[in-house]
Amino acid sequence: VAPAPEDVPDTAAAGLNFDGISYAKGASALRQLVAWLGERDFLTGINDHFARHRFGNATLADFIDSLAQASGRDVHTWADHWLRTTGVDTLTPEIRTEGDRWTATVHHQGSRPHRLAIGLYDRSADQPHRLDLRERLEIDISGKPGEVVRFDRPGRRPDLLLLNDGDLAYTKIRLDPDSWETATLALSWLPDPLSRAVLWSAARDMVRDGALAPTAFLQAARAHLPQEPDTALVEGVLAFARLQIADRYLPADRRPTALATLTDTCRELLRHTQDGSGPSRRLAAVRTLIDSTTDTGELRGWLTEGTVPGGPELDPELRWRTLHRLAVLGAATPDEIDAELAGDSGATGRQGAARCRAARPDPAAKRAAWSALFDSDDLSAHLFNATFEGFWQSEQHTLLADYVPEYFPAAVALARRRGATIARAVARTGFPAVALADTVRLAEECLTRTDLPPALRRQLADELDDARRALRVRQTA
């Protein structure tokens, strides 16, 4: 997580600092600020701010001054910790039971102050898979290095202790072993979708940090995603499982099992929605099933019939998605791609065709795609991205291995020639994640060069960080 930029000399520099953090961290920081100040003082402060600066411009310092005057709290120090420091804090619970009391210790790794809620949940006596809220506590963490916060309660410990329940704080959280065991049994029965989202996010972060096996996340998804009613959660969990766990976090010999688990999960989701309920969840399951299955006969049948049994019908996006998967698996011919393009010759059709052609596991197809990407400047940004989306495929890592060392010098030359938009695309969509160890080494060497365009350097650094993380997870999976 980057701090607020101090030196932004031009629009190009501004563009490099404007990414997902601008939204995700900004929204979370505001939510935490409301929790820390209290809603009344926060609203008083922003109303005063708008009144004092109406019809004019204001700085961040002006905004902080308004909140500080309204609340009487040291908002300037809060802003220094939250807006001018990098990284993300981690909160880890430790629970002990002694006699008829239990004690929870929250260990804080980081430097930011937090106000957050802690949900204490119990499994229902008559329905063990249902979780009921026993109590929700609120605690303050001052942000001192190495700080621990303790509290104790009478009775038995809760079955699930969920830090940051309600998502008030911007922080990573951990689950103690007993709470994770409860989650694997009853996650889908948490009553509040936001609490379920916090728990899924905790599991994701634990996988990313090597604190939870990727296969444990997949098994939790298999057990609970079919019953999940929230479309955003279904889409987010499936995307992480497919794009990160299956493609990056597991060694190649364990990938088929991961894909099989994902296809089973999606088929179960389809069974749960065959009555017409949850069309958005059903669509998410269909998309991931298409991307994950190795059953070319089933995919061919869907494409021929123009529909998934029980719906939905294959619109152009799903048709191209299905044909792309067939191409990845070596079951789509150039003539079939041309025929599909003839029926959908617009911009999205041309992108779909480019993606499919580059995805075919044929040496000549790969070399043609590579030449179109690097030897010519004819591809638009959309066609450039689509071609790279087809080019790198985890199923084809042996075929693609020789392209990894070619990529970095070619990417530098292309970025210098075609400008910032293509520079970001070649580093983001084009980053070779199929041979992680070689990719990490070569990316590190590339970043020592002094002639990299700023847009390329920034995006390569971000992708390298993700690749290092994936390699660490893979080595401990």
Side-chain angles (χ1 to χ4, degrees):
V1 176
E6 297 287 351
D7 183 18
V8 186
D10 51 39
T11 55
L16 294 179
N17 285 294
F18 192 73
D19 54 21
I21 293 172
S22 305
Y23 293 100
K25 183 181 177 183
S28 293
L30 282 174
R31 184 174 177 84
Q32 173 60 193
L33 184 57
V34 174
W36 187 70
L37 290 176
E39 185 173 342
R40 177 179 297 179
D41 285 346
F42 179 80
L43 291 175
T44 299
I46 62 172
N47 286 333
D48 175 65
H49 179 71
F50 292 148
R52 286 197 294 128
H53 298 285
R54 62 185 181 275
F55 308 121
N57 294 323
T59 66
L60 174 62
D62 294 327
F63 179 65
I64 299 303
D65 285 340
S66 298
L67 294 177
Q69 291 177 19
S71 65
R73 302 192 69 174
D74 187 2
V75 188
H76 293 87
T77 299
W78 184 95
D80 286 341
H81 284 298
W82 273 89
L83 305 181
R84 306 191 190 284
T85 58
T86 59
V88 58
D89 292 4
T90 303
L91 301 176
T92 304
E94 179 185 0
I95 303 177
R96 294 183 179 179
T97 301
E98 295 182 6
D100 60 352
R101 301 187 70 85
W102 61 276
T103 301
T105 303
V106 180
H107 299 270
H108 176 215
Q109 180 182 352
S111 61
R112 296 191 179 103
H114 298 273
R115 181 166 183 78
L116 68 151
I118 301 176
L120 310 180
Y121 294 88
D122 296 315
R123 294 168 62 187
S124 174
D126 55 341
Q127 299 181 54
H129 285 13
R130 193 184 79 192
L131 285 170
D132 297 322
L133 179 65
R134 178 197 300 183
E135 184 181 8
R136 182 172 281 118
L137 312 174
E138 289 195 359
I139 65 170
D140 286 296
I141 294 175
S142 68
K144 297 176 181 177
E147 180 181 11
V148 296
V149 176
R150 291 185 177 87
F151 59 91
D152 62 26
R153 289 290 189 275
R156 70 177 187 87
R157 62 152 289 167
D159 292 317
L160 169 66
L161 185 148
L162 184 60
L163 297 176
N164 198 27
D165 201 5
D167 196 28
L168 299 179
Y170 183 83
T171 180
K172 291 191 291 188
I173 65 167
R174 300 290 189 244
L175 297 168
D176 68 276
D178 289 340
S179 291
W180 173 248
E181 182 178 354
T182 296
T184 62
L185 297 172
L187 191 159
S188 54
W189 292 94
L190 267 173
D192 185 353
L194 187 54
S195 298
R196 298 196 300 275
V198 170
L199 205 157
W200 278 116
S201 293
R204 179 204 62 193
D205 287 335
M206 290 167 69
V207 171
R208 283 165 45 85
D209 293 341
L212 179 69
T215 51
F217 186 99
L218 290 176
Q219 291 303 322
R222 176 68 182 84
H224 295 287
L225 217 54
Q227 294 80 241
E228 175 54 58
D230 188 278
T231 301
L233 280 178
V234 171
E235 291 175 340
V237 172
L238 286 178
F240 178 72
R242 176 63 182 84
L243 300 176
Q244 297 301 323
I245 291 180
D247 277 359
R248 287 194 167 197
Y249 289 171
L250 289 175
D253 61 342
R254 297 174 64 183
R255 188 170 182 271
T257 301
L259 292 179
T261 300
L262 270 170
T263 57
D264 287 346
T265 303
C266 292
R267 292 186 195 282
E268 189 65 22
L269 263 164
L270 293 182
R271 282 191 286 271
H272 274 73
T273 55
Q274 62 187 356
D275 59 354
S277 64
S280 297
R281 290 182 292 130
R282 187 174 182 84
L283 179 58
V286 166
R287 284 171 170 159
T288 304
L289 180 55
I290 291 171
D291 293 346
S292 305
T293 186
T294 57
D295 188 340
T296 59
E298 180 177 50
L299 292 175
R300 178 70 61 195
W302 292 359
L303 202 58
T304 301
E305 296 297 327
T307 185
V308 176
E313 294 184 359
L314 297 190
D315 61 9
E317 184 267 334
L318 289 178
R319 290 190 64 84
W320 282 115
R321 197 179 200 110
T322 304
L323 190 59
H324 176 255
R325 184 61 179 165
L326 287 169
V328 170
L329 298 172
T333 67
D335 288 344
E336 288 177 301
I337 298 170
D338 290 342
E340 192 69 29
L341 179 60
D344 180 22
S345 59
T348 56
R350 292 195 298 274
Q351 291 167 41
R355 194 177 293 112
C356 289
R357 292 187 185 113
R360 294 179 60 242
D362 174 72
K366 293 299 182 185
R367 181 50 64 182
W370 189 265
S371 179
L373 289 163
F374 290 107
D375 298 338
S376 168
D377 294 343
D378 295 338
L379 292 181
S380 68
H382 289 300
L383 285 174
F384 184 89
N385 278 315
T387 303
F388 252 135
E389 287 166 356
F391 186 86
W392 298 116
Q393 299 295 329
S394 297
E395 284 87 350
Q396 302 164 4
H397 62 277
T398 301
L399 176 62
L400 295 168
D402 289 344
Y403 286 97
V404 175
E406 284 190 51
Y407 165 81
F408 290 96
V412 174
L414 184 70
R416 296 176 67 182
R417 190 170 74 243
R418 295 202 62 185
T421 298
I422 293 299
R424 284 191 290 268
V426 75
R428 182 179 62 249
T429 314
F431 192 80
V434 296
L436 276 178
D438 290 341
T439 295
V440 167
R441 175 178 57 80
L442 291 168
E444 290 173 341
E445 292 176 2
C446 183
L447 285 169
T448 64
R449 295 179 56 161
T450 59
D451 61 341
L452 298 187
L456 180 68
R457 180 179 295 279
R458 169 64 186 271
Q459 194 65 49
L460 276 180
D462 288 348
E463 299 300 328
L464 173 59
D465 184 69
D466 286 343
R468 284 170 173 159
R469 181 188 298 276
L471 189 60
R472 289 195 300 269
V473 175
R474 182 178 293 187
Q475 289 170 342
T476 60

